[in-house]
Amino acid sequence: MDVLEETVVDLASTPVRELNKALHEAEPGSRWRVENPRGAHNVAVGIHEDIRVTVEGHVGYFAAGMHQKGWLEIVGNAGTGLAENIMSGTVHVTGSTSQSTGATGHGGLIVVDGSTGARCGIAMKGVDIVVGGDIGHMSAFMAQAGRLVVCGDAGEALGDSIYEARIYVKGTVASLGADCIEKPMRDEHLAELGDLLAAAGRSDDPADFRRYGSARTLYHFHSHNTY
Amino acid sequence: MCGIAALQLKDPALRSQLGTLMHGMLCEIVERGPDSAGISVYGDARLNPEGVATVSLLDAGRPDGDIAAALTDLLGVPATVTTLGDTTLASAAASTDELSAALRIAAPGARQIGRGDSVATLKGIGDPVGLAEQFGLESVSGTQGVSHTRMATESAVTASGSHPFTVADDLCLVHNGSFSNHASIRRTLKAQGVEFDSDNDSEVAARYLATRLQAGDTLPEALENLKAVFDGFYTLVVTTADGLAVLRDPIACKPAIIAETDQWVAMASEYRALAGLPGIEDARIFEPEPGEVYSWTF
């Protein structure tokens, strides 16, 4: 088997801007390894070619922001705003993430093996997010499209003011937000959840999950909602 | 936005490195609050000799030697007075109450911004790393410390508005966030006779905790009471001679990350401030849950 050449970037000696510039100019199919991130912000933002990047260590805020293509793995934890506005491709975090994971994401897949902080999937617009552990409060706030899968528990006010998007939770939900309700699991939901879990490399049984989504009562203005 | 970095050393073997470790942490939180900073250090033999009380002053108004001579006269024991940047530290083998009272005479125009048998608080405006160098942070030893870099939002950039607020013996508070009902709580506390050093909202929280601890609360109990009374955004670190506590408000917009090993426990606004600590690779790293009080005692 051919061993593909891998470019190593050591953030102990290379500024993040140089790393990101190199990743933006990378050849499709190239492989990259990033060492010593030491909690740096904005690591590997704006990747727009089909490349594979592994970051060895914990990253700070906004890692993998605007991820457009390719596969990025962070072997560690990530701070606030992981993969914010992701468009497509895959971002995998082996540890846990802070708040606003996948905020406003339009597409692609985010996999967090650990847990996330508050506001996971806030304003998500089509991204799929699979979390191995728990998610914090106000997750999927104003979610518009996409799927959020939680293999642990969800915090308070899940799916508050949700437009669309489907939420699957295996554990407990501390409370549902405004206009978010439990919905029946039909065959198509079991099938899409099975696909998402498989894509995330997980072996959880889709039958153990419950589905939540929008009651669609906030779509239109009602005069009785005035104060 | 503000930056917080706090470190408690459980392992006595590390205590000679407290200042070096705190300096490394401080350098990583400068961008979060470049306008002013403050540092409190517990148990340094130079800043806080055994059996000696220390009071921190701003605007001392007189040369160190004159204040020291006046204090020695008033207290009947030798006093030392050292100015480091904006802060003047006065120490003497007396109680903090005696030293504080003597300083009101020896340095009548000064603001007393810190006091205790175990803690020394240093504050100033300007570049936090420059201040740390003025303070000689890297040569400090001790049991624990907290540093704060401030990006002022609700009151002026002054040394007195910098954190930590060390408002009672060995009690320090640092805050990232803003309180929305501090003015009414300030009025209530003033009516009870509490005096304030600044217009800063965080000082109100520190004064409130001091009154609760005075009334007999444990530190975790005092923080539970604070959570019930204060409205706003906050990540707080509170230190006493006995330990360290962390509390985030229930909405938890303000960041906090904790790392703990058998040798130390550290809290910072961002992970990068923890990345240089010895043994971080094997530390238990987590974000404190919203609204939950965490505390560690020696």
Side-chain angles (χ1 to χ4, degrees):
Chain A
M1 188 179 134
D2 287 340
V3 177
L4 282 171
E5 201 175 316
E6 187 178 61
T7 307
V8 178
V9 180
D10 186 352
L11 285 179
S13 54
T14 308
V16 172
R17 277 174 193 272
E18 269 182 41
L19 164 71
N20 288 340
K21 187 165 184 286
L23 294 177
H24 297 163
E25 293 165 356
E27 290 295 320
S30 59
R31 288 173 179 244
W32 297 73
R33 188 150 53 88
V34 180
E35 295 177 342
N36 293 310
R38 295 168 66 92
H41 298 326
N42 310 319
V43 171
V45 296
I47 291 176
H48 58 79
E49 284 296 351
D50 195 6
I51 60 176
R52 289 178 77 82
V53 182
T54 302
V55 180
E56 305 272 1
H58 307 310
V59 296
Y61 293 3
F62 303 119
M66 302 173 284
H67 188 76
Q68 206 173 336
K69 260 187 185 177
W71 180 90
L72 173 73
E73 182 176 60
I74 294 163
V75 184
N77 301 323
T80 295
L82 171 82
E84 188 176 72
N85 217 58
I86 180 173
M87 301 304 285
S88 67
T90 302
V91 174
H92 175 206
V93 174
T94 64
S96 290
T97 64
S98 186
Q99 62 175 325
S100 303
T101 295
T104 74
H106 284 252
L109 174 67
I110 300 170
V111 179
V112 179
D113 293 345
S115 294
T116 82
R119 307 169 190 95
C120 177
I122 183 170
M124 55 194 278
K125 296 176 173 68
V127 64
D128 291 326
I129 304 174
V130 181
V131 180
D134 306 330
I135 58 172
H137 62 265
M138 293 296 276
S139 288
F141 176 62
M142 295 188 86
Q144 292 151 53
R147 285 89 50 100
L148 171 61
V149 179
V150 185
C151 300
D153 301 332
E156 287 177 21
L158 176 69
D160 192 278
S161 303
I162 185 171
Y163 291 85
E164 289 301 323
R166 292 186 287 283
I167 306 171
Y168 299 99
V169 183
K170 185 173 175 182
T172 60
V173 174
S175 66
L176 292 172
D179 210 35
C180 185
I181 56 170
E182 186 174 350
K183 294 183 164 186
M185 276 287 238
R186 296 193 297 267
D187 288 347
E188 71 263 34
H189 303 119
L190 290 167
E192 78 165 2
L193 178 55
D195 291 346
L196 285 165
L197 289 165
R202 300 196 61 86
S203 55
D204 307 75
D205 181 354
D208 294 338
F209 288 73
R210 305 172 107 175
R211 180 168 74 101
Y212 304 88
S214 177
R216 304 188 179 100
T217 62
L218 297 179
Y219 268 47
H220 303 289
F221 178 78
H222 294 292
S223 60
H224 65 251
N225 284 340
T226 55
Y227 290 101
Chain B
M1 196 156 79
C2 292
I4 297 174
L7 177 64
Q8 181 184 90
L9 298 174
K10 305 182 212 176
D11 180 356
L14 280 177
R15 288 179 180 167
S16 61
Q17 298 172 47
L18 178 70
T20 317
L21 296 172
M22 283 184 66
H23 190 271
M25 295 171 79
L26 175 69
C27 288
E28 297 297 330
I29 57 168
V30 169
E31 288 161 27
R32 298 188 61 88
D35 66 34
S36 50
I39 298 163
S40 288
V41 177
Y42 288 75
D44 177 67
R46 180 172 54 97
L47 298 171
N48 273 103
E50 188 79 28
V52 166
T54 299
V55 170
S56 301
L57 305 173
L58 292 175
D59 309 318
R62 296 176 71 186
D64 292 353
D66 293 0
I67 300 173
L71 283 178
T72 303
D73 270 357
L74 287 160
L75 294 167
V77 293
T80 57
V81 177
T82 315
T83 295
L84 299 168
D86 291 334
T87 307
T88 299
L89 292 175
S91 303
S95 72
T96 46
D97 280 343
E98 288 166 347
L99 178 61
S100 170
L103 277 165
R104 287 208 179 86
I105 299 164
R111 275 175 206 256
Q112 298 187 11
I113 49 107
R115 52 184 286 163
D117 299 316
S118 312
V119 73
T121 295
L122 302 154
K123 302 189 191 192
I125 56 173
D127 170 38
V129 175
L131 293 171
E133 261 134 48
Q134 271 183 341
F135 299 156
L137 178 62
E138 281 184 290
S139 62
V140 160
S141 61
T143 53
Q144 65 178 6
V146 56
S147 59
H148 184 274
T149 57
R150 181 169 183 233
M151 185 175 283
T153 52
E154 53 62 60
S155 62
V157 179
T158 58
S160 66
S162 306
H163 305 219
F165 289 97
T166 310
V167 301
D169 286 4
D170 299 321
L171 171 70
C172 296
L173 173 140
V174 297
H175 173 206
N176 174 18
S178 56
F179 292 115
S180 49
N181 61 342
H182 63 99
S184 51
I185 300 168
R186 181 190 294 263
R187 274 196 297 277
T188 308
L189 290 174
K190 274 187 170 171
Q192 294 166 10
V194 175
E195 292 176 23
F196 287 82
D197 289 333
S198 72
D199 297 326
N200 187 284
D201 61 336
S202 312
E203 187 190 349
V204 183
R207 299 278 173 197
Y208 174 82
L209 285 179
T211 62
R212 293 306 318 173
L213 293 168
Q214 179 81 26
D217 280 6
T218 62
L219 182 55
E221 286 167 352
L223 284 166
E224 289 291 348
N225 281 315
L226 181 146
K227 192 170 75 181
V229 169
F230 281 76
D231 187 15
F233 298 117
Y234 53 88
T235 289
L236 299 174
V237 176
V238 183
T239 47
T240 65
D242 306 323
L244 176 152
V246 175
L247 172 63
R248 299 172 83 191
D249 71 81
I251 305 291
C253 286
K254 297 298 176 186
I257 186 154
I258 293 172
E260 185 169 18
T261 70
D262 291 341
Q263 292 185 296
W264 48 261
V265 58
M267 176 276 177
S269 300
E270 298 177 20
Y271 171 75
R272 57 183 169 149
L274 307 174
L277 291 173
I280 186 71
E281 308 77 29
D282 302 314
R284 187 169 79 93
I285 299 170
F286 61 99
E287 291 192 333
E289 291 291 326
E292 193 167 315
V293 175
Y294 295 79
S295 66
W296 293 265
T297 49
F298 286 112

